[in-house]
Every structure is written in structure tokens, then in C-alpha cells.
Amino acid sequence: EAEVAQSPRYKITEKSQAVAFWCDPISGHATLYWYRQILGQGPELLVQFQDESVVDDSQLPKDRFSAERLKGVDSTLKIQPAELGDSAMYLCASSPAGTSGRYEQFFGPGTRLTVL
Amino acid sequence: DQQVKQNSPSLSVQEGRISILNCDYTNSMFDYFLWYKKYPAEGPTFLISISSIKDKNEDGRFTVFLNKSAKHLSLHIVPSQPGDSAVYFCAVFPRGTGKLIFGQGTTLQVKP
């Protein structure tokens, strides 16, 4: 069964360092999402891609976060510099639908980030 | 401004009984509602969904009810099994978008 792949699964870093997360969506899925889940809360959308284009990054802290999906397939989310408040689970999801589609999203296992 | 609220952080039920998880929303512009289940150290997995034009959708042991006048969504699990123990998130699709807005989650524990 096709799955969304993410790496690394766990990342520990010190504040002010740079970190990067990688996501490979299900093959053929045009839409890719990055979510952040803080403990005790639901996932919150950071950025949404349709193919290689950013559709929604209104909740992405652009002073320190960046995301790219250069060839419209896999994606990288970067944080530089990391802050203590960035400690969270970072989830990647993909969907076969376009930006107005209502298909369910398929999530990867996430990257657990701890900033010390 | 929380558009989707799950007011019960946790729920404990006995195996074989019914589990009822609740979700309230504030915006009538949501036209599709979903439930996700999440085990520790895994990503959320899709469970069941319902369109705003319906008031009930059933899939095996899982039934979702939608009360539009009350802006309330519920998930019934009958009978509950220990393997159902997980965090359950309700989520909504705002009209015209492909993004999901999640509630805070409810941790369900099903005791053998």
C-alpha cells in the first residue's frame, strides 16, 4: 500500500541551529501539505502545495520557516534558526485532489522535533 | 479563534460499549467533515467522513452524525474495542479550499 514517507522520524537540535525535514508523498498526488502538531492540539496547516506552487502559506512563520517542492514531487521544510517553541510533530500529508477538492488527506508518520 | 472544538480531552469506556466523541464547529461554510484516528508515533489516518448535505454516514462499527442546526458532529463507535484506543480528531474542509482545519483531539481509552 502506498504511503507518505518522512525523514527523519526524530530530530533533536539546539536553538539557533538549522533543521530540515523531508517528505515524499504518495505517487501521483498533486497536493502536498505540511502541518505542525503541538502536544495536546490538533494539526495546524503550515503550507499547502499544488504541484510545485504554494497555494497557502498564510500560517508559515516566514522569517524562519521555508518550504519547497521544486519538481512537484517531494518536499523539504526548513527551520532556521530553530527556537524552543518550534518543538512539535511535523506532519506531511498528500492528496490526489486539487485545491478545492474534498478528498481525505493521507498522512506520513511525522518528524518529532525537540529544540533544546 | 477556534473554528473546530472538541471539548472533551479524554474519554474512557468499557470494551463492548458505545463510544461517543463530540465536535462543535462555528462556521456554516464548512461543507465536508471528517474524523481521523491517531496512534502514538504515527500520523493521523482517515476514519470516516460526511458531507454537509447528509446527517448520517455509517461504516461498519463507525457512524458519524451531523446536526447542522446545532453545528455539532459526533462519532459513534459500537461496539468499542481495545484497539480503538487512540486520539480522535474531527476536521473540516472550508468551502472552496482543500485544506483541513482540525479540532484539538479526544483521547479514547477502551478498557478490556
Side-chain angles (χ1 to χ4, degrees):
Chain A
E1 184 175 310
E3 295 181 342
V4 176
Q6 287 188 250
S7 67
R9 292 293 306 274
Y10 302 92
K11 179 70 177 178
I12 300 174
T13 190
E14 293 185 347
K15 65 179 182 178
S16 79
Q17 296 299 304
V19 293
F21 314 130
W22 177 79
C23 172
D24 191 12
I26 294 172
S27 178
H29 281 195
T31 311
L32 184 147
Y33 310 82
W34 283 101
Y35 288 87
R36 176 172 59 185
Q37 185 190 4
I38 297 171
L39 193 63
Q41 299 181 21
E44 179 185 28
L45 180 71
L46 290 175
V47 61
Q48 177 183 350
F49 288 92
Q50 177 70 24
D51 299 309
E52 68 276 7
S53 300
V54 173
V55 172
D56 184 347
D57 63 357
S58 57
Q59 299 303 311
L60 189 71
K62 299 182 189 62
D63 57 336
R64 298 185 300 108
F65 286 63
S66 64
E68 60 183 17
R69 193 184 184 199
L70 292 177
K71 296 183 179 179
V73 181
D74 59 337
S75 175
T76 302
L77 178 69
K78 296 178 181 177
I79 309 175
Q80 183 174 17
E83 296 181 352
L84 296 177
D86 296 332
S87 294
M89 175 76 83
Y90 290 83
L91 294 160
C92 179
S94 70
S95 167
T99 55
S100 61
R102 296 190 299 272
Y103 297 98
E104 63 267 23
Q105 297 174 13
F106 299 84
F107 284 82
T111 296
R112 168 70 66 188
L113 173 67
T114 302
V115 182
L116 303 176
Chain B
D1 181 23
Q2 194 97 31
Q3 299 186 68
V4 183
K5 293 183 180 181
Q6 294 177 255
N7 292 317
S8 298
S10 63
L11 174 68
S12 181
V13 300
Q14 207 66 35
E15 180 179 6
R17 306 296 293 268
I18 184 172
S19 294
I20 300 176
L21 297 103
N22 295 302
C23 178
D24 297 303
Y25 60 95
T26 59
N27 192 328
S28 299
M29 297 299 285
F30 300 139
D31 62 357
Y32 215 65
F33 304 84
L34 302 87
W35 284 94
Y36 277 81
K37 178 170 71 174
K38 186 181 184 301
Y39 293 117
E42 295 183 14
T45 55
F46 170 74
L47 193 57
I48 193 170
S49 63
I50 187 168
S51 166
S52 61
I53 63 173
K54 297 186 177 182
D55 53 22
K56 178 182 175 181
N57 187 27
E58 192 171 350
D59 183 3
R61 297 186 296 113
F62 302 92
T63 303
V64 57
F65 295 92
L66 178 61
N67 183 333
K68 289 184 285 293
S69 60
K71 295 188 177 67
H72 181 79
L73 184 73
S74 63
L75 174 68
H76 292 209
I77 307 173
V78 182
S80 301
Q81 300 174 353
D84 296 329
S85 297
V87 179
Y88 289 78
F89 294 99
C90 65
V92 300
F93 270 118
R95 189 166 297 165
T97 78
K99 73 178 190 180
L100 283 170
I101 299 176
F102 286 85
Q104 308 97 307
T106 296
T107 301
L108 172 66
Q109 182 185 25
V110 180
K111 297 179 179 178

